[in-house]
Every structure is written in structure tokens, then in C-alpha cells.
């Protein structure tokens, strides 16, 4: 799963790495502890041009609320628990099945946190990121929701929201018996779910709003997920990340020796 992550890049850096464009007034808030319901950057593609023969596909960076609110929802609280979308059921679940057909996006992160269950009920936080420090782009979905309490055209009358696709994590025993990278086994021991990373090769098709076969796209990105995750590294961090009140680069530091019972989020 993915319940917290880091995104502290500048708008210019993100636009360059995503090979996208952004509104000149777009401002991204740096955070080392991004939590569901936060405003987060997303990369999506849409067609622009008034006449059919002039329409072209453009890749853009927008800001969305993390927690997908389907267009039919009565209020925005519907997105509180929809921050992850299971790849196995995304084509059938009412919350996600419309978005996966033509409103797919990429959610850029520098890394994400996962909590490993220990003895008893203790959980220890780990930070997962690409070993080369580059951004990871998770497969995501987005939706536009109109607030019925606001007049058409009123500021804030439309909400853009997003969710991150997840899949089964690698099986540690299978990974070790096959002699695959140790990081994959470590990911499987960390949690039984993982966010789905997009390869640079699969990202254009995933973002294409006119792609004809959503099921094939989901299958493709999930099939490549473990291969992309082999580029990752993970390490334990301190328990301070367990509170959303804490935010800053110090959250990425190793835990102090006496930190034996991390806070739960």
C-alpha cells in the first residue's frame, strides 16, 4: 500500500523530470510527510485545441487532493478512504472503474514510507526510494468532482482528486529461490502490498486518455512493477514520521538507538 510519501521537489524540477508543462502560477508545497487528503502534484495528459484537426495531446502537472472522489459522490468525504486503488479490482469497483478507463495519471514521489510489523503490535517505519535518487512515478487515477453546494463557476466548485494503484508485493521465498535482487524480498517482508511504479516506457501509454484497453494497461504496469521496484532501496527511519504534525528532512534520518516503539499513524 502507500499511505505516506515524500515530495519536496521544486515545480521546475518536477516539470523537467516529468517532461511536462505547468501553469506559470502553479506552486507545489514541499513535504517529507505527505498524507491522504493532502494536496499533491499529479501528471496527466489531455487533448487541447478547439477543432478536431487541431487537437493535440499535452502532458501537464496539476495539483489534486489525495483520495479519489468519484463524480457521482454526494460529498468530498467519499475520497477519505480511496487514496489507494487495488489493481485486482480497479476495473470493477464503482469508485474507480470510470477513472481507469480514461482518467489515468502519474503521481510523482521521491520515496514512500511503509510500516513493518514486529513483535506484538509494534510497527517500525521504513523509507523506500529509487537507489539513484530519481523520482518514482506511481500509476494513478484522477477524477473531477463538482461541489453541489457551490454555484457553477464559483472558485472551488470543482475538485480534482487522485488515487494510487497498488499490487501484491513480491513473495520473499520466490524471490530468493529465483536469485532475484534482495530488495524485492525485503519489500515483500515489509508489506504484502506495494504502490505500482511506472517505467519510463509504460508511462506514455498509461497517461494516454484515448488508450483503448484499460484492462491491458493495468495488466502491463502491474507486470512491470517488480522489475521497476528492483531499482529501489529501503532503510529504517525514526518514529517521528508516524505523526502527520511532523514534517521536514529530518524524518529521513535513521532512528535513534533508544527508539524501540515507533508511533503508529
Amino acid at each position: 500500500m502507500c499511505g505516506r510519501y515524500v515530495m519536496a521537489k521544486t515545480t521546475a524540477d518536477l516539470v523537467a523530470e516529468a517532461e511536462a508543462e505547468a501553469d506559470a502560477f502553479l506552486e507545489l508545497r514541499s513535504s517529507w510527510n505527505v498524507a491522504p487528503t493532502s494536496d499533491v502534484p499529479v501528471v496527466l495528459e489531455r487533448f487541447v485545441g478547439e477543432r478536431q484537426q487541431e487537437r493535440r495531446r499535452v502532458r501537464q502537472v496539476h495539483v489534486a487532493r489525495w483520495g479519489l472522489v468519484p463524480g457521482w459522490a454526494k460529498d468530498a468525504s467519499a475520497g477519505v478512504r480511496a487514496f489507494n486503488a487495488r489493481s485486482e479490482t480497479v476495473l470493477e469497483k464503482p469508485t474507480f472503474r470510470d477513472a481507469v478507463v480514461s482518467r489515468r495519471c502519474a503521481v510523482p514521489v521521491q520515496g514512500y514510507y511503509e510500516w513493518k510489523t514486529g513483535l506484538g503490535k509494534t510497527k517500525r517505519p521504513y523509507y523506500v526510494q529509487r537507489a539513484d535518487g530519481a523520482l518514482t512515478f506511481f500509476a494513478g487515477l484522477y477524477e473531477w468532482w463538482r461541489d453541489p453546494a457551490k454555484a457553477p463557476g464559483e472558485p472551488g466548485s470543482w475538485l480534482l482528486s487522485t488515487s494510487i494503484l497498488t499490487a501484491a508485493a513480491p513473495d520473499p521465498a520466490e524471490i530468493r529461490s529465483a536469485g532475484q535482487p534482495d530488495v524485492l524480498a525485503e519489500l515483500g517482508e515489509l508489506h504484502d502490498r506495494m504502490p505500482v511504479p511506472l517505467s519510463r516506457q509504460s508511462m506514455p501509454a498509461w497517461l494516454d486518455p484515448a488508450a483503448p484497453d484499460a484492462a491491458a494497461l493495468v495488466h502491463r504496469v502491474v507486470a512491470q512493477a517488480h522489475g521497476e521496484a528492483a531499482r529501489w532501496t529501503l532503510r529504517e527511519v525514526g518514529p517521528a514520521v508516524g505523526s502527520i504534525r511532523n514534517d521536514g528532512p529530518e524524518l529521513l534520518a535513521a532512528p535513534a538507538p533508544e527508539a524501540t516503539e515507533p508511533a503508529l499513524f
Side-chain angles (χ1 to χ4, degrees), residues 9-92:
K9 291 270 190 178
T10 66
T11 304
D13 287 342
L14 171 56
V15 166
E17 196 160 344
E19 299 180 341
E21 60 183 41
D23 186 281
F25 300 102
L26 179 69
E27 292 186 8
L28 303 179
R29 185 180 73 87
S30 295
S31 178
W32 286 262
N33 200 0
V34 180
T37 73
S38 299
D39 287 343
V40 300
V42 294
V43 180
L44 57 86
E45 293 186 353
R46 65 188 187 93
F47 291 102
V48 299
E50 295 184 2
R51 296 193 296 180
Q52 185 68 32
Q53 61 268 33
E54 296 175 348
R55 285 163 63 82
R56 60 189 179 90
R57 207 169 87 196
V58 178
R59 183 176 296 185
Q60 300 174 328
V61 176
H62 291 267
V63 172
R65 180 182 297 180
W66 187 16
L68 190 136
V69 182
W72 45 260
K74 293 182 178 179
D75 58 68
S77 65
V80 171
R81 296 185 179 276
F83 55 92
N84 285 164
R86 293 177 67 93
S87 58
E88 298 89 343
T89 58
V90 69
L91 292 155
E92 296 129 24

Side-chain angles (χ1 to χ4, degrees), residues 1 145 178:
M1 63 174 291
W145 176 78

